[in-house]
Structures are given as C-alpha cells and as structure tokens.
C-alpha cells in the first residue's frame, strides 16, 4: 500500500499542530486547512479538511462550493473552551461529501489516535449542541437557589457518574466562552435552552469592558 | 429517630423499592416491605437475598450482618402492618394521586410521630404532602437507581415540612451510609431537571439528522468522560419511562426541552422500548444500530 500524503496548510493561527504527521495506509492526497488558512478547492484531493471553530463549514469554505464538492469536510478537535482538548474529533460532512472522502478523513484522524464521529454541518455540531443547554440550566438552577453549586455538581458526579459537575466544567472552560457559543446557537435556533445564562452574560460583559 | 428504626418501604415489589429496602435492612433497621402485589414481594425477597449473598461473597458484608438484615426483613400486602414504623418511604408508581392516597391512608395507620418520605423523582413534595393530614411530617427522599449501589439521595423539604422532621430524615439517610444533597421542591429536583431535557435533546438531534445514535453517544462519552451516552441511558431507563418522565416534568414546567420528542413517541408506539424490548436506539440482540 502506498502511503497517503497529507498536506497541512497552516494559517496565521498555526493551528492543527496537534495533527502531527500521521501515518496511515491509502492512496492519494489529503489537504488539511488549519484554522486561519485561506480555504481553496483541491479537486484532485481525496479529501479537503477544513478546521472549524464554532462556525459552520459553510461559513468558512463558502457556498455553493462547499455544498457541491464531494471531497470537502470540516473538522474540529473538541475542547471545552480553554480546558484541555479532548481526544474527540467531530467530522463535519457537507451535503455532497462522498463516502470515500469521509473514510479517508476518518482513517487520518484514527491513525493519529483520535476518536472520530461524523455529523452534519449544523451549529454546535454534536457536543456543544447537547451540552451547552445543560450548562445554561445548571447555572440558572444555582442562581434560582435550587441547590448550592457544590451540591449540584456533587449530584451529577454521584447520581449520574459524571467525571465532573456541569458548573465546575463550564467555569473551567470559561463563562465568556460559553456565552460566545450559546449566543451563536441562540441566534440560529432561537430556542430558550440556548439563551446564554446570566452569569455567562456578565462574564462576556466583563471581558468587553476589559478590552 | 432512633439508631435502630422500624422502617417501611411501600412499593417494595418494584426495582427501586427493593433497592431502598436493601439500604434500610443493610444499615440495621427492621424493614417492612409493603406492596399490593404478593408476587412482586416474592420476587423482591429473592433479589434482596441474592444481593446480600453476593455482598458476603465479595466481603462487603459479614455473614452476621447478612443474617441480621434478613431476620429484620418482612413482607406484607397489608398496610395495617406498618403501624409501628417510625419512617415510611414510598416508592410506588410515579403518580400524584396514587402517592397522595397512600399517605392519606398511612395517616390512620402510623403514629403521629412517624416520618413520611417520598422517593418521587419528578413530582412536588408539597403536592404529595397535601394528601396527608400531617404535611409537616412529609419529606422528599429521592434515591438513585439502583438504590443499593448509588450513594446519592436528593433530600427535599415541602413548603410545610417541619425543620426537625427534615433533619431527622437527613440524619437517617446519612447513618444509612448514603450521601444526601439538599434541593428545593422544584420539578425534577437536580437530577431530572438536568437529565430529562438533555436526553430529549439527544433524541431531537437524531431526529434532526445531526448524527447517528452511535456517534452522538460516542461524542458525549469521549468529550466529557461520561460512562454512558444519553441514548444508551434512555434505552436502559426505557423509552416508555422517558415519555412518562417527560409528561410529568413538562406538565409542571412547560419547558419545551422537557416535552417528549416526536421520535420518542413514535418509537414507543412501535414497541421499541429500549433494552427491555431488545431494541431502542440500539439493538441488543446484535450490533445493528437504529436510526443511523
């Protein structure tokens, strides 16, 4: 088997350094656009991977190109804000992305030791879409006096077997970051679960005042 | 309450009730298991005996402790047998009227000093207490499933609960080796207020085509370190149970995240109830996934 070539296009951010020259079997070339690098089409490539922040693939790669190309995918290594990044890679499949491009991208990340999940190009992808409303609810419940913050986190650890509680986790990742993610989700979906919790609004306002 | 108390568990024929009976008997209390179903009690007795035997084989319980726990354990289908109980914990069907009626009947059976505890996970303690002529003696005492293994107990006073009664119930829970946390009397307390909507959001993500059930669970487990994904958990709890939780929770909150998702209702209608039916979001006879 001929080793597949991986071309990493770095941008001003110098991101995707975590994807360190993986070795895996296959044929052809994969182009990886790290966050901040200008995304351009590579029609000859097996897969064109665009690193995402909280934005959608369509926002970074452009429409209609991103909607029509069979080799384009978005990806992100999930991190809870400033918390240590996880081993999860969310692979974003556009409407026209073919199975061969998905398979090549999966092989690339798995060879580098990551757990890969495939999701649609929707705001929040999987993890933020599901967990951010939990953080909002937890922050609100503490504000409303349902329980102390310590008891709420303890309840989730003992009662649900979580590694940590939702409030300690959202604080660790950054309340202002939580505001950024949920404000974007709320703008798209308009549902109350995504409305940023009061403490995160205050954190974002403090950040704005500092800058 | 005294160190060794006469305790009754109502609804002991169910999984949760049997677990609570284990907690009580294991900590040295004379424990009466009450249920309207004699066969349910028989099944519970077998489960409890097996659990204690395993605890002894694992060295978690001595043979003497096992014998004492089993000696103090009685089964009854007659509510009148609960007259000497200082603490009655109900774990009957999650229905407000059923629970209110039970406490109303217990008023005429138990001494005025008895403490009534409800294991409800979603209903209001204050509303349940309204079924008793002694609402000051009623507290929320929500164990986690399986009660015999999970330390956490959500403890909730109703609006009319006497502070001394709440403290006595709290101390009983602590002495039984459990870890109580105090919550206000609000729908779902802490656990279900967070968990029911979270699981619903995962179901809605499947319905919205965000990702397959397997990828949703893998993402949550890998990103957060959780042992179970939300869809595995719904399969474990039972999709029909999730609908009942949603209905109870939504009726009290009108929170759109708590409303049962259409996909959940369709799956229940199709008999896809989770592990107990062999298929829910995942198939348990094989490796095939549903809804991918």
């Amino acid at each position: 088997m001929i080793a597949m070539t991986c071309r990493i296009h770095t941008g001003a951010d110098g991101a995707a350094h975590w994807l360190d020259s993986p070795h895996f079997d296959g044929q052809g070339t994969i182009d990886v656009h790290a966050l901040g690098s200008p995304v351009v089409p590579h029609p000859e490539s097996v897969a064109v991977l665009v690193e995402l922040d909280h934005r959608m693939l369509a926002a970074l790669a452009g429409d209609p190109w991103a909607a029509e190309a069979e080799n384009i995918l978005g990806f992100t290594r999930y991190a809870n804000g400033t918390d240590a990044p996880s081993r999860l890679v969310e692979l974003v499949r556009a409407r026209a992305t073919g199975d061969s491009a998905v398979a090549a991208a999966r092989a690339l990340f798995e060879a580098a030791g990551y757990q890969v999940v495939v999701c649609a190009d929707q705001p929040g992808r999987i993890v933020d879409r599901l967990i951010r409303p939990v953080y909002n609810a937890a922050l609100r419940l503490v504000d409303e006096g349902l329980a102390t913050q310590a008891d709420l986190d303890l309840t989730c650890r003992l009662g649900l077997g979580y590694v940590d509680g939702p409030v300690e986790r959202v604080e660790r990742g950054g309340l202002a970051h939580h505001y950024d993610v949920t404000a974007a989700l709320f703008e798209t979906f308009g549902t109350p679960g995504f409305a940023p919790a009061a403490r995160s609004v205050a954190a974002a306002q403090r950040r704005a005042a500092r800058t | 309450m005294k160190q060794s108390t006469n305790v009754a568990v109502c609804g002991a024929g169910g999984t949760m009730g049997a677990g609570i009976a284990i907690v009580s008997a294991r900590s040295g209390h004379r424990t009466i298991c009450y249920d309207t179903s004699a066969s349910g009690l028989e099944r519970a007795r077998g489960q409890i005996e097996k659990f204690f035997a395993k605890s002894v084989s694992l060295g978690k319980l001595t043979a003497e402790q096992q014998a004492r726990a089993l000696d103090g354990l009685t089964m009854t289908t007659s509510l009148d047998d609960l007259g000497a109980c200082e603490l009655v914990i109900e774990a009957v069907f999650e229905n407000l009227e059923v629970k209110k009626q039970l406490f109303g009947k217990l008023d005429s059976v138990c001494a005025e000093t008895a403490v009534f505890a409800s294991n409800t996970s979603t209903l209001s303690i204050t509303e349940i207490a309204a079924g008793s002529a002694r609402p000051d003696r009623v507290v929320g005492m929500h164990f986690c499933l399986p009660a015999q293994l999970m330390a956490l107990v959500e403890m909730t006073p109703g609006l009319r609960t006497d502070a001394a009664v709440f403290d006595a119930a709290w101390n009983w829970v602590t002495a039984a080796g459990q870890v109580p946390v105090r919550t206000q009397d609000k729908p779902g307390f802490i656990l279900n207020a967070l968990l029911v909507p979270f699981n619903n959001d995962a179901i809605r993500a499947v319905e919205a085509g965000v990702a397959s059930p397997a990828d949703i669970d893998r993402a949550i487990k890998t990103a957060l370190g959780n042992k179970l994904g939300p869809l595995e958990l719904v399969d474990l709890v039972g999709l029909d149970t999730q609908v009942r939780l949603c209905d109870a929770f939504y009726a009290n909150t009108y929170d759109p995240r708590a409303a049962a998702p259409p996909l959940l209702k369709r799956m229940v209608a199709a008999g896809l109830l989770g592990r107990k039916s062999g298929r829910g979001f995942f198939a348990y006879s094989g490796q095939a996934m549903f809804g991918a």
Side-chain angles (χ1 to χ4, degrees), chain B residues 149-232:
Chain B
L149 298 178
M150 302 290 278
L152 184 81
V153 180
E154 289 179 304
M155 296 287 300
T156 311
L159 283 179
R160 296 184 64 180
T161 305
D162 186 285
V165 169
F166 183 79
D167 288 346
W170 179 282
N171 292 338
W172 185 90
V173 166
T174 306
Q178 305 293 113
V179 178
V181 292
R182 184 182 178 120
T183 81
Q184 288 182 348
D185 185 16
K186 291 183 178 173
F189 311 117
I190 299 172
L191 276 180
N192 278 324
L194 294 175
L195 193 60
V196 172
F198 173 56
N199 292 343
N200 284 346
D201 285 349
I203 296 167
R204 289 195 185 91
V206 174
E207 194 161 29
V210 173
S212 69
D215 274 353
I216 286 172
D217 276 9
R218 187 179 301 119
I220 292 298
K221 287 192 286 188
T222 308
L224 307 180
N226 294 358
K227 292 187 183 86
L228 278 179
L231 300 167
E232 287 173 293

Side-chain angles (χ1 to χ4, degrees), chain A residues 78 88 115 117-120 122 125-126 129-131 133-134 144-147 155-156 158-160 162-163 169, chain B residues 150 152 181-184 186 189-191 194-195 198 201-202 208-211 215-216 218-219 223-226 257:
Chain A
Y78 185 79
L88 176 73
Q115 287 277 329
V117 294
V118 179
C119 57
Q122 293 198 26
R125 297 180 280 272
I126 300 174
R129 182 188 179 116
L130 295 183
I131 203 64
V134 176
E144 293 174 355
L146 175 74
T155 299
C156 290
L158 291 183
L160 301 173
Y162 289 1
V163 175
R169 178 175 277 269
Chain B
M150 302 290 278
L152 184 81
V181 292
R182 184 182 178 120
T183 81
Q184 288 182 348
K186 291 183 178 173
F189 311 117
I190 299 172
L191 276 180
L194 294 175
L195 193 60
F198 173 56
D201 285 349
V210 173
D215 274 353
I216 286 172
R218 187 179 301 119
L224 307 180
N226 294 358
R257 293 179 63 230

Side-chain angles (χ1 to χ4, degrees), chain B:
Chain B
M1 273 178 282
K2 296 172 295 191
Q3 202 160 23
S4 178
T5 311
N6 293 303
V7 178
V9 179
C10 298
T15 308
M16 188 55 127
I20 297 170
I22 288 172
V23 171
S24 174
R26 183 172 58 192
S27 49
H29 302 293
R30 288 179 295 280
T31 304
I32 302 176
C33 294
Y34 164 79
D35 203 290
T36 53
S37 163
S39 61
L41 286 174
E42 199 176 323
R43 191 173 53 246
R45 171 127 211 154
Q47 288 170 340
I48 294 168
E49 286 174 352
K50 268 188 194 165
F51 180 84
F52 282 143
K54 194 171 179 189
S55 297
V56 172
S57 70
L58 292 173
K60 292 181 176 176
L61 211 63
T62 66
E64 291 74 28
Q65 288 170 321
Q66 177 196 26
R68 196 161 53 243
L70 289 173
D71 283 348
L73 195 69
T74 54
M75 305 282 161
T76 184
T77 55
S78 171
L79 213 54
D80 291 336
D81 290 340
L82 276 54
C85 291
E86 288 103 350
L87 172 65
V88 180
I89 306 168
E90 73 77 16
V92 300
F93 192 65
E94 190 74 347
N95 177 286
L96 180 61
E97 287 310 312
V98 171
K99 290 178 190 286
K100 284 172 74 172
Q101 282 172 20
L102 175 67
F103 282 132
K105 287 178 189 170
L106 287 167
D107 282 346
S108 57
V109 173
C110 298
E112 288 187 357
T113 52
V115 174
F116 294 159
S118 172
N119 180 56
T120 183
S121 61
T122 50
L123 301 172
S124 161
I125 299 304
T126 305
E127 288 184 58
I128 291 171
S132 167
R134 336 165 175 161
D136 55 318
R137 313 288 309 168
V138 180
V139 301
M141 190 185 283
H142 175 225
F143 291 80
C144 296
L145 192 67
Q148 68 275 21
L149 298 178
M150 302 290 278
L152 184 81
V153 180
E154 289 179 304
M155 296 287 300
T156 311
L159 283 179
R160 296 184 64 180
T161 305
D162 186 285
V165 169
F166 183 79
D167 288 346
W170 179 282
N171 292 338
W172 185 90
V173 166
T174 306
Q178 305 293 113
V179 178
V181 292
R182 184 182 178 120
T183 81
Q184 288 182 348
D185 185 16
K186 291 183 178 173
F189 311 117
I190 299 172
L191 276 180
N192 278 324
L194 294 175
L195 193 60
V196 172
F198 173 56
N199 292 343
N200 284 346
D201 285 349
I203 296 167
R204 289 195 185 91
V206 174
E207 194 161 29
V210 173
S212 69
D215 274 353
I216 286 172
D217 276 9
R218 187 179 301 119
I220 292 298
K221 287 192 286 188
T222 308
L224 307 180
N226 294 358
K227 292 187 183 86
L228 278 179
L231 300 167
E232 287 173 293
L233 184 58
V234 172
D235 271 1
L236 188 64
V237 168
L239 275 70
D240 50 343
T241 304
Q242 177 73 8
V243 169
R244 280 201 292 275
L245 285 168
C246 291
D247 289 348
F249 199 40
Y250 182 72
N252 279 302
T253 62
Y254 296 110
D255 173 1
R257 293 179 63 230
L263 174 61
L264 178 69
K265 289 182 175 175
R266 288 201 301 275
M267 290 176 71
V268 170
L272 305 175
L273 305 182
R275 275 187 178 273
K276 62 185 168 190
S277 70
R279 189 175 164 196
F281 289 96
F282 304 97
Y284 294 94
S285 52
Q287 296 302 310
M289 305 293 184
F290 172 81

Side-chain angles (χ1 to χ4, degrees), chain A residues 188-200:
Chain A
T188 306
F189 294 111
T191 47
F194 291 122
R199 277 189 64 201
S200 71

